[in-house]
Amino acid sequence: MTTGAGTLTIEETFLRPQALPPPPTRHALFAILIVLAALLHLGTIGIGDLYSETEGQYAAAAREMIQTGQYFLPTNDSIPRLQKPPLLYWLIIASYKLFGVHTAATRVPIALAVVATVIFTFLIGERLADYWRGLAAGLIYLTLSGTFIFGRIVMPEPLFSAFFAGAIYCGLGGFQQRRQRRIWFAGFWICAALACLTKGPHGLILPAATFAVLAVCYHEARMRFRFLLWWPYLLLFLSIIGPWYIWVEIHFDGAFHQFVAEEWTKHLIGRYPNGTWYDDVPRWQFAASHLAWWFPWSVAILPALIFSWRRVMRPREIGFRDALPMVWALVVLVPVLAIGQRQDYYALSMFSAFALWAAMIFERASNSLRNAGAAIVALTGMIIGVIALALPRLVPVNERDWGETDFRWTAWKALADIPAGVWLQFRPLLVITAIALLVGALATVYLLRRGREKIALVGLACGLIVVGLCMVSGIARIAPFFSLADAARFLNGRLGTNGQVLFEGSPGVASSLGFYLERKFAMVNQEPDPRIPLTAEQRNLFLDEKAALEHWRVPRPVFLIIEQDRVTYWRELLTQHFHVYHQVASFGTYIVLSNQL
């Protein structure tokens, strides 16, 4: 391992037999970073309900896989879900087996994935420079706003990011250590295979493209990375990913590859199979939002980039270790901007690369520019504080309601949809955020004045830890408007032995209901995906209004969950047919109707 003295080059330190042992300081810093990551992510897994869409889909599918004993086929409400490979489902199942089926257990694999990514970020930074660079990069990644937000969502991206970072670390280890190169490169292929089992083939394409670009640019990389193409590695890769893909292709009699091809085409082109064009997050919005996802480090390094660009970037002497994070970031970011459809979290796998790059810039910047970056963070905190104090005067006088759930599944749309009354509930969190940013910036300035440049960013990081916990609390507070958990708890105690639940909406919007409700439910005014072969029983879960009214006539408890803007329609329809309308509860933007008092 490298030491902080900086007396040896990377090649001398890692390739020579007498590599220096790491000092105790390195071990202490590494351990502190791991414990901090575990406290922040494992310690908060029980806060807030799971949202619908992705979180509910993974949680409900994993629960159903345990109930049915069918571990190769994820299903939601018994409907096959083939959009993503099964590794995350399997890890959630393992968590359920260990800890029970509940919200916190669902988040355990995601929390561990974030901790693993922090570890790999530290180790990569250490290999590129020294353990102080590793500490800085690990802290930056851990305290990015985007890590606190996206690193808590039950979805493939946090796990994919961990395997991606693991592949980069193993590839870098093989580049630097000749004697164990075959073992390191085997690790690269294993991590790439697990990434493919998490999200898809870009688990291999993206890390391979990163090293391919570096091989084109640097002769030494070209010479060493050619060993990555050893044919036994391909057999190892196929032995890991092959069984599930072969099984699902046989199980669906050849329809699976067509389904996957259409899914990829939909995302690459930005068009549904029926010809409808869509773009969840426009390119300009996606790029601009990363100033927020990378806050505060996106502004902390800004003065150095503007006023000392040549010093921090060294454009005339960019070596392999400086180029790796930049190539990694571009390999992920450019394709995401080029495709037709994207979500806010699609670039999460390059957040580690940004952290490594930001750590390098902060390290090379002068103290005056570091102070300027801290000052911008402090100014941001003061602006947030002013907004919090003036919030009652800033929000609209006329209160409005949340919009329809299905149209606010991006960060920008969700923020724009929040009513004034909900914003007022965030005032205490905004005040705490403002104070934390200000105190963190002042701590960084103080450490710089005392000559503690190596740990100066700890001040900003501590401030962001408080801010991140405020984000976690804020997301939990608005969960009732994005989750059907409360509605499911209400219904579980009222369904009896033969009660039935109907939901008007898409399977994605109903996914949290599938996790929290203790039985299957039917969907009204929805058509099943024609690409997925369904049994007669599965098709019976999709009802038109006529069939829903027939269920309503049956002398047993039947509950219908609708959006609040559909109340007038259903009141008239039910009154016309039954002369009775029972609205029994409301949860967020959802209304629960019943055929009985």
Side-chain angles (χ1 to χ4, degrees):
M1 295 289 181
T2 56
T3 70
T7 56
L8 299 177
T9 66
I10 284 184
E11 289 75 11
E12 290 172 329
T13 304
F14 288 100
L15 298 182
R16 289 172 60 184
Q18 63 271 25
L20 298 178
T25 302
R26 180 265 183 195
H27 297 319
L29 294 174
F30 191 31
I32 291 171
L33 184 64
I34 295 173
V35 170
L36 182 59
L39 287 174
L40 288 177
H41 287 273
L42 286 169
T44 59
I45 55 177
I47 300 176
D49 291 322
L50 299 175
Y51 280 23
S52 289
E53 293 288 351
T54 305
E55 289 198 306
Q57 288 166 349
Y58 275 90
R63 191 186 74 166
E64 285 190 27
M65 291 165 81
I66 292 177
Q67 293 171 341
T68 62
Q70 177 55 272
Y71 295 108
F72 268 34
L73 182 61
T75 58
N76 275 156
D77 201 32
S78 80
I79 308 301
R81 186 171 189 270
L82 303 175
Q83 285 85 345
K84 295 292 187 294
L87 183 56
L88 180 54
Y89 298 107
W90 292 341
L91 294 178
I92 296 173
I93 288 170
S95 180
Y96 287 165
K97 296 279 190 179
L98 290 172
F99 307 112
V101 181
H102 49 76
T103 301
T106 308
R107 294 191 176 119
V108 166
I110 299 302
L112 291 176
V114 175
V115 175
T117 308
V118 171
I119 291 172
F120 283 129
T121 304
F122 176 96
L123 295 174
I124 294 170
E126 183 181 41
R127 283 190 171 276
L128 293 178
D130 53 35
Y131 60 81
W132 289 109
R133 176 78 62 82
L135 174 68
L139 271 178
I140 289 173
Y141 177 82
L142 183 61
T143 56
L144 291 172
S145 297
T147 303
F148 279 107
I149 295 172
F150 301 135
R152 280 181 53 82
I153 300 176
V154 181
M155 61 180 179
E157 275 69 19
L159 186 62
F160 180 84
S161 300
F163 290 130
F164 195 151
I168 296 295
Y169 174 64
C170 289
L172 180 60
F175 173 82
Q176 294 176 336
Q177 291 185 270
R178 180 178 55 202
R179 291 187 175 181
Q180 299 175 337
R181 183 165 292 154
R182 290 193 184 278
I183 297 175
W184 281 111
F185 285 170
F188 168 88
W189 281 90
I190 292 172
C191 287
L194 294 175
C196 291
L197 268 182
T198 301
K199 196 176 178 184
H202 46 310
L204 173 62
I205 294 171
L206 294 179
T210 301
F211 289 131
V213 172
L214 290 168
V216 170
C217 297
Y218 298 96
H219 174 74
E220 192 65 25
R222 187 159 55 251
M223 296 295 295
R224 298 179 187 183
F225 287 145
R226 66 180 180 179
F227 295 103
L228 273 170
L229 302 178
W230 192 36
W231 66 266
Y233 294 145
L234 180 60
L235 295 181
L236 175 65
F237 176 83
L238 293 176
S239 69
I240 295 173
I241 70 165
W244 181 78
Y245 280 96
I246 293 172
W247 180 89
V248 74
E249 184 71 16
I250 294 173
H251 183 81
F252 285 97
D253 195 24
F256 173 67
H257 73 275
Q258 180 181 356
F259 176 84
V260 172
E262 290 181 0
E263 278 291 310
W264 274 76
T265 302
K266 180 181 73 174
H267 287 281
L268 292 174
I269 300 177
R271 185 172 61 183
Y272 287 106
N274 62 8
T276 304
W277 292 89
Y278 74 112
D279 187 3
D280 288 352
V281 183
R283 292 179 179 86
W284 68 268
Q285 191 182 107
F286 180 85
S289 65
H290 280 73
L291 292 175
W293 307 144
W294 295 336
F295 183 84
W297 307 103
S298 55
V299 297
I301 63 174
L302 199 58
L305 285 174
I306 294 175
F307 299 108
S308 187
W309 182 79
R310 292 186 179 276
R311 173 176 175 173
V312 297
M313 295 299 295
R314 300 175 183 174
R316 294 183 180 275
E317 50 181 277
I318 294 181
F320 176 89
R321 57 182 178 177
D322 291 347
L324 189 148
M326 291 185 282
V327 172
W328 175 0
L330 290 173
V331 161
V332 175
L333 194 58
V334 171
V336 172
L337 289 173
I339 62 177
Q341 185 270 342
R342 67 207 59 79
Q343 285 284 0
D344 298 291
Y345 47 79
Y346 273 17
L348 182 62
S349 57
M350 54 82 67
F351 281 19
S352 290
F354 170 80
L356 292 161
W357 182 67
M360 178 192 74
I361 292 173
F362 196 84
E363 177 185 296
R364 293 175 179 176
S366 64
N367 277 355
S368 61
L369 294 175
R370 293 172 181 167
N371 284 325
I376 297 176
V377 175
L379 179 61
T380 304
M382 289 187 283
I383 293 172
I384 293 174
V386 171
I387 292 174
L389 296 175
L391 198 57
R393 299 179 182 178
L394 297 176
V395 296
V397 177
N398 298 323
E399 180 64 43
R400 62 178 178 81
D401 295 324
W402 288 86
E404 188 175 342
T405 307
D406 204 25
F407 295 104
R408 47 181 161 90
W409 286 108
T410 68
W412 182 265
K413 293 176 181 178
L415 289 172
D417 201 51
I418 295 178
V422 178
W423 278 114
L424 291 176
Q425 296 177 22
F426 290 156
R427 286 186 75 196
L429 298 179
L430 292 174
V431 171
I432 295 172
T433 295
I435 295 172
L437 290 176
L438 184 59
V439 172
L442 291 175
T444 292
V445 172
Y446 172 78
L447 290 171
L448 289 171
R449 288 179 62 86
R450 294 296 300 270
R452 303 297 182 90
E453 290 85 358
K454 289 186 179 297
I455 60 171
L457 51 70
V458 170
L460 286 175
C462 289
L464 254 292
I465 289 172
V466 177
V467 174
L469 293 175
C470 288
M471 293 178 184
V472 171
S473 177
I475 292 171
R477 291 187 184 194
I478 61 173
F481 300 99
F482 294 86
S483 173
L484 287 158
D486 288 338
R489 296 186 187 104
F490 172 82
L491 294 171
N492 284 334
R494 291 164 174 80
L495 286 171
T497 57
N498 62 347
Q500 185 180 18
V501 176
L502 313 180
F503 177 82
E504 186 184 37
S506 67
V509 174
S511 63
S512 60
L513 187 65
F515 176 68
Y516 290 103
L517 194 66
E518 294 175 355
R519 65 185 62 184
K520 290 183 175 62
F521 58 94
M523 285 159 286
V524 180
N525 292 328
Q526 294 295 311
E527 293 292 333
D529 191 330
R531 300 170 296 174
I532 300 178
L534 300 178
T535 64
E537 182 181 359
Q538 291 167 341
R539 288 189 176 278
N540 288 336
L541 295 175
F542 294 87
L543 307 177
D544 57 20
E545 285 184 6
K546 181 179 178 180
L549 293 174
E550 289 299 321
H551 282 268
W552 206 254
R553 296 179 190 274
V554 178
R556 63 176 178 176
V558 179
F559 296 90
L560 172 63
I561 304 174
I562 61 174
E563 290 273 5
Q564 59 188 8
D565 60 358
R566 294 279 291 170
V567 166
T568 302
Y569 176 83
W570 278 98
R571 181 190 292 118
E572 294 177 356
L573 184 65
L574 294 175
T575 303
Q576 176 185 349
H577 284 79
F578 305 102
H579 309 290
V580 178
Y581 171 82
H582 299 305
Q583 181 175 316
V584 295
S586 63
F587 302 95
T589 60
Y590 300 103
I591 307 298
V592 180
L593 310 180
S594 176
N595 67 341
Q596 300 182 359
L597 287 175

